[in-house]
Amino acid sequence: MYINENFIKLPQSYLFSTVASKLKEYRESNPSADLIRMDIGDVTLPIAPCVIEAMHKAIDDMSSSETFHGYGPEQGYPFLREAIAKVDYQERGIEISADDIFISDGAKSDLGNLGNIYSKKSVIGVADPGYPVYIDSSVMDGRGGELLSDGRWSRILYMECKPENGFKPAVPSRGVDVIFLCSPCNPTGTVFTRDELKEWVEYAQRNRSLIIFDSAYEAFVTDPDIPRSIYEIEGAKEVAIEIRSFSKTAGFTGLRCGYTVVPSELKGTDREGNEFQLRQLWNRRQSTKFNGASYVVQRGAEALYTSEGQEAIKKNIGIYLSNARYIRKAMEKAGFEVFGGENSPYVWVKWPGETDSWKLFERILSEAEVSSTPGIGFGECGAGFIRLTGFNSPENTRKAMERISRIKFNEEEGLGEDFKSLNDIKAIRALDDLDVLDDLTHALGI
Ligand code: PLP
């Protein structure tokens, strides 16, 4: 038996497990440390009562033969597909039908599994920095080529994101087959405007590319001018698959449920140029390799589409957003260059003078007892950046920001002029005047 050698080509360690093991090491050698986790990429607030109630009822259904549910439809139960089509799309003026929606056990599985339905030879385009799953799952499927000395893969097109382009990928000058786009973006927290997304749709139309639009964080968009779905853009149904998740929207990271939209209009071709509906291929793939998300969890997800469920989503997201906004403002006041933190739980912070993200991570950990995620883990262009998240409590978020801002720098370290403002504690004191939570409560109407 020969193994899939693509697995051994992949660098050993996965970013988040490296962070976790470094934190474990730190805790072991500093048992009394009051560590604040600002690297959390997981939700922390509990599930809404209406979801819990619906799941309890679904469990009860399983206890009698009249209401018992065995294998469900591989595509998901109609009750959930219809609720999604209606509330997430049709009521927002987007024509997506329940048949275009495939319920999953979360976005991550589908991001990897979609690779089954496009050619092994497809050239992939990814933003650098980006969510590591896009690259690693493409490499596992043999679409990476060779790992080069700079840590990049020879067959993958990296769309570089830097402060100069606002950390948003620009359309490439050449055509690629499959492009992963993420908005709101993990890790940078940046979002595409309608015009930017329109450019991407037009690019895909010109080049006959497929866009895989990861909108796992769409629920964090509060600005009505920022698209939550790529299908808000005309023509997108012919070029894009949209991936969504209840994980961050509604605290389902442990329950596992999401969905993928493959519109009937979306087609690909074989080598002879014959057209095929991607929805049909995906349906075939799911019917063969997936047996559906659990009935209990789908009933829980259905409850999110009641008015009670929608209110609960807004409330929890509002808390994460207010934390993110606070981090953004605190870091800006302390003199850092900052991206994201609006319409997103992620804040992307540039640390002037330091380009080694892991050193930065160690330093913030040892001097402030705050954990972050090193930007380099998301790609070469993440060097010198850290990702902070709004998933901790408001109290811890404030405490962590104050601690980071107190880190002492001096010029012998070669850190330059920029650092003077970091030591200005007065600036951080002024943060108490930031009525971030009030602004948001108002914006969300809660
Ligand atoms: N896409 C992005 C951009 C993410 O950040 C994550 C999780 O962190 C996922 C997808 C996966 O989400 P899920 O829990 O639905 O698998």
Side-chain angles (χ1 to χ4, degrees):
M1 192 281 292
Y2 294 111
I3 58 159
N4 175 350
E5 290 187 20
N6 295 310
F7 279 80
I8 47 175
K9 285 192 206 166
L10 274 172
Q12 274 308 307
S13 179
Y14 189 59
L15 169 66
F16 304 108
S17 36
T18 312
V19 170
S21 71
K22 281 185 183 284
L23 294 182
K24 186 166 171 272
E25 242 169 66
Y26 182 78
R27 277 205 182 95
E28 279 164 7
S29 36
N30 302 276
S32 60
D34 174 24
L35 178 65
I36 304 179
R37 299 282 306 266
M38 296 304 287
D39 62 302
I40 308 176
D42 197 351
V43 286
T44 47
L45 295 167
I47 304 282
C50 64
V51 173
I52 299 292
E53 209 177 292
M55 289 196 297
H56 276 301
K57 187 177 170 305
I59 294 269
D60 289 341
D61 288 349
M62 295 303 205
S63 67
S64 102
S65 46
E66 286 79 48
T67 49
F68 169 78
H69 284 73
Y71 288 125
E74 293 93 351
Q75 302 78 4
Y77 282 99
F79 61 75
L80 181 56
R81 299 173 85 195
E82 279 157 21
I84 292 168
K86 180 166 170 278
V87 179
D88 285 348
Y89 293 101
Q90 293 156 9
E91 285 178 0
R92 293 183 190 153
I94 303 167
E95 272 180 50
I96 289 290
S97 82
D99 292 337
D100 298 335
I101 290 161
F102 294 80
I103 309 301
S104 67
D105 60 357
K108 200 188 208 178
S109 327
D110 279 6
L111 282 166
N113 293 337
L114 275 168
N116 280 182
I117 66 165
Y118 47 83
S119 162
K120 287 267 184 232
K121 294 189 181 132
S122 305
V123 174
I124 307 295
V126 291
D128 176 356
Y131 183 52
V133 174
Y134 311 143
I135 293 181
D136 288 4
S137 58
S138 302
V139 170
M140 288 172 186
D141 284 349
R143 298 191 183 92
E146 296 308 316
L147 185 59
L148 305 173
S149 56
D150 61 0
R152 287 184 164 174
W153 295 91
S154 61
R155 289 196 74 242
I156 290 181
L157 177 84
Y158 292 82
M159 304 179 294
E160 297 203 334
C161 300
K162 298 188 167 169
E164 300 83 85
N165 59 10
F167 272 99
K168 292 193 230 181
V171 295
S173 49
R174 56 177 267 220
V176 290
D177 302 306
V178 180
I179 291 184
F180 286 91
L181 293 181
C182 185
S183 179
C185 174
N186 178 10
T188 61
T190 52
V191 286
F192 286 120
T193 64
R194 215 168 289 280
D195 284 345
E196 286 161 347
L197 217 43
K198 189 165 170 276
E199 260 189 72
W200 275 107
V201 168
E202 286 166 2
Y203 166 88
Q205 286 169 331
R206 274 196 311 279
N207 293 286
R208 305 179 67 83
S209 315
L210 167 68
I211 295 174
I212 298 182
F213 190 71
D214 182 350
S215 59
Y217 298 94
E218 57 81 29
F220 290 78
V221 175
T222 53
D223 181 342
D225 293 332
I226 300 294
R228 292 174 67 163
S229 164
I230 194 164
Y231 306 122
E232 289 178 41
I233 310 299
E234 211 188 316
K237 282 196 277 181
E238 283 99 56
V239 295
I241 288 176
E242 181 157 285
I243 299 206
R244 288 194 177 184
S245 170
F246 296 111
S247 282
K248 308 296 160 72
T249 303
F252 274 49
T253 50
L255 289 173
R256 311 304 308 145
C257 196
Y259 63 89
T260 290
V261 187
V262 191
S264 58
E265 292 87 341
L266 179 59
K267 301 200 175 92
T269 55
D270 65 10
R271 269 176 296 178
E272 272 88 52
N274 304 305
E275 283 198 328
F276 295 87
Q277 247 191 357
L278 290 197
R279 191 174 85 176
Q280 246 173 24
L281 269 63
W282 184 242
N283 190 48
R284 185 74 174 86
R285 191 264 168 216
Q286 291 299 79
S287 311
T288 304
K289 296 195 188 180
F290 185 56
N291 250 339
S294 110
Y295 168 71
V296 174
V297 169
Q298 290 191 65
R299 278 293 184 202
E302 181 193 22
L304 293 169
Y305 290 94
T306 58
S307 55
E308 212 184 329
Q310 294 288 297
E311 279 308 300
I313 289 175
K314 274 190 192 171
K315 198 165 156 233
N316 284 9
I317 296 262
I319 293 169
Y320 299 137
L321 275 174
S322 75
N323 287 341
R325 185 101 68 93
Y326 188 89
I327 298 168
R328 183 186 167 104
K329 296 208 171 182
M331 293 291 93
E332 272 174 348
K333 268 204 186 292
F336 293 92
E337 191 177 3
V338 184
F339 296 86
E342 275 165 356
N343 301 297
S344 165
Y346 295 120
V347 190
W348 188 242
V349 184
K350 171 89 179 88
W351 203 274
E354 179 59 84
T355 51
D356 183 330
S357 300
W358 282 106
K359 264 200 202 150
L360 217 51
F361 168 88
E362 304 276 1
R363 177 155 195 202
I364 300 170
L365 186 59
S366 62
E367 293 186 33
E369 298 195 324
V370 171
S371 62
S372 57
T373 311
I376 188 74
F378 299 97
E380 291 294 294
C381 296
F385 283 79
I386 50 162
R387 188 194 72 174
L388 300 172
T389 80
F391 291 118
N392 210 319
S393 66
E395 300 71 37
N396 279 344
T397 302
R398 277 164 197 253
K399 210 157 103 183
M401 290 309 100
E402 178 146 351
R403 284 200 206 159
I404 293 183
S405 305
R406 279 179 196 274
I407 294 179
K408 292 280 177 226
F409 300 93
N410 57 59
E411 277 161 41
E412 291 94 80
E413 289 176 298
L415 296 172
E417 284 296 297
D418 289 351
F419 279 79
K420 291 213 170 96
S421 60
L422 293 176
N423 293 319
D424 181 0
I425 299 300
K426 266 186 254 137
I428 208 79
R429 293 261 178 269
L431 283 170
D432 289 337
D433 303 335
L434 301 174
D435 287 330
V436 175
L437 194 55
D438 287 354
D439 290 357
L440 253 154
T441 309
H442 180 71
L444 291 165
I446 51 174

